[in-house]
Amino acid sequence: MIEVTLEQVQDWIPCEIDNEYLDYTIRGVSIDSRIINEQNLFIPFKGEHVDGHKFVPQALKDGAGAAFYQKGVPLDNNDVDGPIIWVEDTLVALQQLAKAYLDFVNPKVIAVTGSNGKTTTKDMIESVLKPQFKVKKTQGNYNNEIGLPLTILELDIDTEISILEMGMSGFHEIESLSLLATPDIAIITNIGESHMQDLGSREGIAQAKSEIAFGLESGGLFIYDGDEPLLVPHVKTLTDCEQISIGKGNDNKLTCQIKEVKDSGITFEINGSESYELPILGEHNMKNASIAIAVGKHLNLSYDQIYNNLKAVQLTGMRMEQHHLTDGTLLINDAYNASPTSMKAAIDTLSGMDGRKILVLADVLELGADSKLMHEAVGQYLADKGITALFTFGTEANYIHDSGKGFVQEAQHFEDKQALINELKAYKEPADKILVKGSRGMKLEEVVEALK
């Protein structure tokens, strides 16, 4: 993590610091005054309801090494015991400090965005690279204008590769993150329907995600979903970088194809020659893994290194997470988040398995005016998929139930989670396959825990 003197901070960003404090050292950063480690730099923000500046005196008393303070915000100097770093805007100053520190550490930066699969792809890239490089990745969902600079400031001085996840809810957000991080490798996993409410269309989502290339270093690498036609016009504007398209279509630079599906994972091929094993289910995860393979090759890892490293991958929780129950049931927890696209991918995954197949789906949130149509499309996608039973939960998921009930042997909808749990427990049989998926706000992990 960052460990520098205030004199270095003054050299790096526009700010004012009393000379008597310039030899003081800060170590790490906190934006929460309740969690202050010794010598942390405390960064307050002016919120809609609470102004974090009022916690600066207490943060310094609790051991903070210094605190940012926005000019124009009143401060009683009698309350302050420690260094104040005066800045025009605390958020901008945080971002400026992160950019300066990133330049100081100088790792190779890999930036990842996409509607689905960002975290999974990030985990896979880390798995492929970590045995050969010192790698640090974004933790949790620290992928926005505050989280990304905080992630950067957690880098160790000897970090060789920084994997940064970039999220957004509107235009120009990824652009600013990309310009801050100036990635050597920029990645778009896919284009789905997340944030349709804010961006209006999948075309708008493709435009917003493509902003990840705005800060791409000259001669850098751009990896993208080659099966997505909406990315084509944006890819054509990129003339000063290497490009790798990944997908199932034969016109991709890396064409991937599943060769075998087991309960424990999949085997797939790239360009009809190289074979890889992945201990995770799902055709969509084959494409995510292919992105990680492309990164490994670009960084000169051998086939054997990539094969063995990928085979040992471990994903962040609630992403195709497998639980083998005592009665032989395979319970797949994919409840971290959802979109119509990722739900269809989950249906495909379950469809390819043996035995009775039970699908548990909840609402996809933030779809805007087309929510009903998109949920209905998920239900219609169940046609000819061989799913045994469909259990839906929520308000919007009722549209999945209504449009999909004709394609399954059993279909039930619930607006009470405990009732859903009780019926699932009564319905399931030994050796069933159960896949659970819904938006984060629906908390379907509670269903998983109850079944476990």
Side-chain angles (χ1 to χ4, degrees):
M1 69 177 71
I2 187 171
E3 185 169 359
V4 295
T5 65
L6 297 192
E7 186 172 16
Q8 285 175 282
V9 173
Q10 190 176 59
D11 288 341
W12 282 352
I13 68 172
C15 64
E16 296 174 13
I17 308 170
D18 285 349
N19 289 337
E20 64 177 296
Y21 294 123
L22 291 181
D23 61 347
Y24 279 45
T25 297
I26 56 164
R27 187 173 189 275
V29 174
S30 175
I31 61 172
D32 187 341
S33 63
R34 298 165 298 180
I35 308 172
I36 296 290
N37 293 319
E38 193 72 24
Q39 291 183 285
N40 274 177
L41 170 63
F42 175 58
I43 302 180
F45 300 111
K46 291 190 73 172
E48 207 170 303
H49 304 293
V50 178
D51 187 347
H53 289 82
K54 72 178 185 179
F55 302 116
V56 166
Q58 188 61 50
L60 291 169
K61 288 177 184 175
D62 290 342
F68 278 170
Y69 210 95
Q70 194 158 302
K71 294 177 182 178
V73 177
L75 175 64
D76 186 346
N77 290 326
N78 294 323
D79 290 339
V80 175
D81 182 19
I84 295 293
I85 303 172
W86 294 94
V87 297
E88 295 294 336
D89 183 291
T90 54
L91 175 58
V92 172
L94 167 64
Q95 294 167 346
Q96 291 170 334
L97 182 63
K99 185 164 183 57
Y101 184 63
L102 187 64
D103 291 341
F104 180 67
V105 176
N106 196 30
K108 194 169 288 292
V109 175
I110 302 171
V112 182
T113 194
S115 296
N116 312 111
K118 291 187 293 296
T119 300
T120 297
T121 302
K122 177 185 68 179
D123 290 344
M124 290 179 175
I125 294 171
E126 180 195 38
S127 181
V128 166
L129 301 182
K130 199 167 185 179
Q132 279 72 41
F133 299 95
K134 178 155 186 182
V135 181
K136 205 144 191 177
K137 66 179 180 181
T138 301
Q139 297 297 317
N141 59 351
Y142 267 43
N143 60 11
N144 61 10
E145 75 279 8
I146 295 175
L148 185 132
L150 290 175
T151 296
I152 291 171
L153 292 169
E154 279 294 313
L155 295 177
D156 296 320
I157 193 66
D158 59 347
T159 301
E160 296 174 285
I161 295 177
S162 173
I163 307 171
L164 298 175
E165 182 179 326
M166 295 185 179
M168 59 89 198
S169 57
F171 293 114
H172 306 301
E173 293 178 11
I174 287 182
E175 174 185 358
S176 65
L177 298 178
S178 180
L179 291 171
L180 190 161
T182 56
D184 300 279
I185 302 173
I187 296 164
I188 300 178
T189 60
N190 65 359
I191 302 300
E193 304 85 5
S194 301
H195 308 297
M196 186 80 80
Q197 188 170 291
D198 301 298
L199 296 169
S201 64
R202 291 186 71 247
E203 287 82 0
I205 295 168
Q207 178 183 335
K209 296 295 184 184
S210 296
E211 292 170 8
I212 197 168
F214 281 30
L216 183 62
E217 292 279 9
S218 176
L221 174 61
F222 181 62
I223 303 174
Y224 66 98
D225 181 0
D227 294 335
E228 177 51 75
L230 292 178
L231 288 174
V232 172
H234 302 286
V235 171
K236 285 181 177 178
T237 66
L238 304 177
T239 57
D240 191 23
C241 65
E242 180 186 351
Q243 298 177 10
I244 297 178
S245 59
I246 287 177
K248 294 182 290 181
N250 291 327
D251 55 345
N252 286 296
K253 192 164 184 180
L254 291 187
T255 299
C256 46
Q257 182 180 12
I258 285 186
K259 303 305 292 182
E260 187 178 10
V261 178
K262 301 177 181 177
D263 287 357
S264 58
I266 59 175
T267 302
F268 65 98
E269 280 185 351
I270 289 183
N271 292 346
S273 56
E274 294 182 357
S275 179
Y276 295 90
E277 290 182 37
L278 189 66
I280 303 161
L281 295 166
E283 188 175 84
H284 56 297
N285 282 320
M286 168 186 70
K287 293 177 74 171
N288 296 333
S290 298
I291 291 171
I293 290 165
V295 171
K297 288 184 173 185
H298 182 74
L299 297 178
N300 299 316
L301 297 189
S302 69
Y303 167 76
D304 286 342
Q305 286 172 326
I306 296 171
Y307 179 94
N308 291 322
N309 296 350
L310 186 63
K311 192 176 178 181
V313 66
Q314 292 184 334
L315 297 189
T316 303
M318 295 196 289
R319 292 165 174 87
M320 284 292 168
E321 188 176 84
Q322 298 181 38
H323 301 279
H324 296 272
L325 307 188
T326 54
D327 66 353
T329 296
L330 174 61
L331 177 60
I332 304 169
N333 180 2
D334 199 31
Y336 182 78
N337 217 337
S339 70
T341 297
S342 64
M343 277 191 170
K344 291 173 184 176
I347 291 169
D348 286 336
T349 298
L350 190 60
S351 177
M353 305 183 83
D354 298 327
R356 295 203 327 165
K357 297 175 272 284
I358 301 171
L359 187 63
V360 184
L361 300 178
D363 294 359
V364 178
L365 306 176
E366 298 180 10
L367 291 180
D370 291 329
S371 179
K372 179 175 183 290
L373 291 174
M374 290 185 185
H375 281 87
E376 287 176 341
V378 171
Q380 291 158 5
Y381 193 74
L382 289 166
D384 302 319
K385 296 295 181 180
I387 303 299
T388 310
L390 171 67
F391 292 81
T392 52
F393 167 69
T395 303
E396 300 294 287
N398 196 33
Y399 299 125
I400 300 176
H401 168 268
D402 290 348
S403 62
K405 61 185 178 183
F407 305 122
V408 296
Q409 296 175 22
E410 175 78 17
Q412 295 188 50
H413 178 74
F414 300 85
E415 295 194 7
D416 178 270
K417 195 177 291 178
Q418 190 57 52
L420 164 65
I421 291 167
N422 293 342
E423 188 58 34
L424 267 172
K425 285 181 174 179
Y427 181 82
K428 81 177 187 70
E429 296 177 359
D432 281 351
K433 310 296 190 300
I434 305 174
L435 193 150
V436 180
K437 189 167 187 64
S439 275
R440 182 84 295 274
M442 302 305 291
K443 298 183 179 179
L444 279 189
E445 66 273 15
E446 295 171 355
V447 176
V448 172
E449 291 303 314
L451 292 177
K452 285 166 62 180

